Amino acid sequence: MIRHAVEGVDAVLALLVELAVYAAAGYWGFTRDGGLPKRLLLAVGTPALLILAWGLFGAPTATHPVHGPARALLELCWFGSGAAALWASRGRRPALLFAATYLLSTAVRFV
């Protein structure tokens, strides 16, 4: 029973971390230098590219799902892009907190 509760909490945490990647990418895009059209394009386009990549390779219903080492590399790059976007737009502390949350969520999946 406790295991099911932990799995449920982890599923919610994993979803929130995934959504945070999109939010961080959009925020990063909007905080770049340049005019409003450029910032809006980056704020919408960057998360759109991440959504496309996750839908093709990472989602449970992905068109071309990857497994094993390729999956680990995909997650590292994908979630790493969220941490990098936070680092570039908000600084080190939010990026490290995001990375720690992702690592905690990943660790819980393997326990």
Side-chain angles (χ1 to χ4, degrees):
M1 184 159 141
I2 292 175
R3 182 160 182 82
H4 290 308
V6 170
E7 288 173 354
V9 169
D10 181 55
V12 170
L13 182 60
L15 174 64
L16 292 175
V17 172
E18 288 178 25
L19 293 175
V21 170
Y22 301 131
Y27 184 79
W28 170 84
F30 198 73
T31 60
R32 297 300 88 203
D33 291 335
L36 184 61
K38 176 185 173 186
R39 292 180 15 227
L40 285 175
L41 179 64
L42 287 171
V44 173
T46 306
L49 289 174
L50 288 167
I51 289 168
L52 178 65
W54 194 251
L56 287 172
F57 305 110
T61 58
T63 308
H64 307 285
V66 293
H67 305 283
R71 173 66 183 213
L73 182 61
L74 170 69
E75 286 193 18
L76 183 64
C77 292
W78 200 80
F79 288 103
S81 70
L86 280 173
W87 190 297
S89 61
R90 299 289 297 162
R92 177 182 56 196
R93 191 169 293 172
L96 293 176
L97 179 62
F98 172 81
T101 304
Y102 163 69
L103 292 173
L104 174 66
S105 175
T106 301
V108 168
R109 273 191 285 160
F110 293 106
V111 172

